[in-house]
Amino acid sequence: ILKMGKIDTSPFSIKKGFLIREMTPDGFLFCVENVAAFLISDGKHITIDAYTEDKGVWETLLLGPVMAALLQQNGFLTLHGSAFLFEEKAVLMLGATGVGKSSLAMALHKKGNCYLTDDICAITFSTEGEPLLYLGSSHVNLWEDSIEALGLSQNTSHQIRLGLSRHQFIMDLPRLNKCHPIKRVYLLEVGSIQDDILAAQKLDLMSSIKLLYKNIYGINSLRDMELENESFKMIHIMAAQITCSKLDRQHAQMDIKLVAEHLESFLKL
């Protein structure tokens, strides 16, 4: 439940020169100076105190770290990545910002592998303990070079904020189940191979655990809310059941459509 309202941040100190992140008696407080303050409580309510009229700026925070904190309060494991549907199962692509997760998910969507989520992968578990990807937001954010490479029109998007060459698209998706079993997890990397267009390396259990832990979305929020241990337990369960691999391509400028074709062929093996 979202509502606009005033939030008193005066009792709390600013971190990193612009950020407040505190667990309070009323809930988890997340505030970015001159942008907005958010209070996330009971895993159900978000109060927004906007400091700017530019809705696109604070909405980006709402759909990112604020939503991640809400999901964490509801017992989800949150991973930093994008996902698409392949043969009725979810394929997750994790990795650093700018490595190409969103553009690759969009390229695969255009090939008929339905987009599932961007930026935050929310993981829950079935009653039998099977890891499931919860269907995410229909928003996907792409840089202008990716938009051009994918043959998309900026006319169907809006610029996230002035001065930033990144645009948000709202996906027109078919009716999908809320949860999907997870087929595979990939860590996207660039530049570690010389000869192949794309190379995949399967990881052992300990490396899979490290990969998933490193790519938790909102790890600091988890620690502030004292929920890190629960997420670590979920990572162990997930790593024991799902194949995790490193996926490397030669360079970041490689044709994203070609990369998508090769990834599809890996998944069919």
Side-chain angles (χ1 to χ4, degrees):
I1 300 172
L2 299 177
K3 69 174 184 178
M4 306 300 293
K6 291 296 181 182
I7 301 172
D8 182 13
T9 62
S10 58
F12 307 104
S13 58
I14 294 176
K15 300 174 182 178
K16 300 181 180 178
F18 69 95
L19 177 69
I20 297 173
R21 199 182 60 237
E22 294 283 351
M23 194 64 207
T24 78
D26 297 319
F28 181 67
L29 174 64
F30 183 88
C31 174
V32 174
E33 194 174 31
N34 300 322
V35 179
F38 304 87
L39 186 66
I40 308 107
S41 55
D42 304 321
K44 296 178 181 178
H45 302 92
I46 300 176
T47 303
I48 306 165
D49 188 358
Y51 306 149
T52 173
E53 294 182 359
D54 189 346
K55 185 178 178 182
V57 176
W58 61 258
E59 205 171 54
T60 301
L61 295 175
L62 175 64
L63 294 173
V66 176
M67 186 57 63
L70 184 76
L71 289 164
Q72 290 162 357
Q73 287 184 359
N74 279 283
F76 285 88
L77 170 64
T78 55
L79 299 175
H80 183 205
S82 299
F84 61 93
L85 198 61
F86 184 84
E87 295 179 347
E88 303 305 316
K89 290 191 175 184
V91 178
L92 278 57
M93 297 179 294
L94 312 180
T97 299
V99 78
K101 302 181 297 293
S102 302
S103 53
L104 186 51
M106 184 64 83
L108 286 152
H109 176 79
K110 293 188 71 176
K111 289 175 63 60
N113 304 290
C114 192
Y115 160 95
L116 293 175
T117 190
D118 183 46
D119 204 28
I120 301 175
C121 293
I123 312 300
T124 186
F125 293 82
S126 70
T127 53
E128 294 79 23
E130 180 185 18
L132 304 171
L133 176 73
Y134 198 83
L135 187 63
S137 167
S138 59
H139 299 77
V140 59
N141 299 326
L142 295 170
W143 296 99
E144 288 182 354
D145 57 347
S146 295
I147 294 170
E148 182 178 353
L150 290 164
L152 302 173
S153 172
Q154 292 185 18
N155 296 331
T156 59
S157 70
H158 72 267
Q159 193 172 4
I160 292 175
R161 64 175 182 265
L162 292 175
L164 185 69
S165 59
R166 203 176 188 197
H167 294 251
Q168 186 175 88
F169 291 79
I170 299 177
M171 304 292 289
D172 183 15
L173 300 173
R175 188 181 296 274
L176 296 169
N177 295 331
K178 285 188 177 181
C179 292
H180 296 274
I182 299 169
K183 179 181 178 68
R184 204 163 297 172
V185 176
Y186 287 108
L187 172 67
L188 299 192
E189 294 187 336
V190 177
S192 298
I193 57 172
Q194 301 295 324
D195 300 325
D196 297 325
I197 293 172
L198 201 65
Q201 177 190 354
K202 184 178 176 181
L203 300 176
D204 59 25
L205 177 60
M206 188 55 64
S207 297
S208 297
I209 291 170
K210 290 178 180 178
L211 179 157
L212 295 172
Y213 183 80
K214 184 179 179 181
N215 285 278
I216 289 177
Y217 191 110
I219 184 65
N220 291 320
S221 300
L222 270 178
R223 289 168 179 162
D224 292 334
M225 294 187 288
E226 298 183 352
L227 295 172
E228 186 179 10
N229 287 343
E230 292 304 312
S231 287
F232 196 59
K233 290 175 186 175
M234 289 188 278
I235 281 173
H236 273 257
I237 296 170
M238 184 173 173
Q241 297 185 51
I242 305 298
T243 299
C244 297
S245 302
K246 285 186 178 181
L247 191 69
D248 200 355
R249 64 187 192 272
Q250 287 181 12
H251 52 79
Q253 288 71 42
M254 183 172 289
D255 185 348
I256 198 68
K257 296 177 183 177
L258 188 61
V259 175
E261 286 181 10
H262 279 71
L263 179 52
E264 258 192 334
S265 67
F266 286 169
L267 289 167
K268 290 174 181 176
L269 295 176

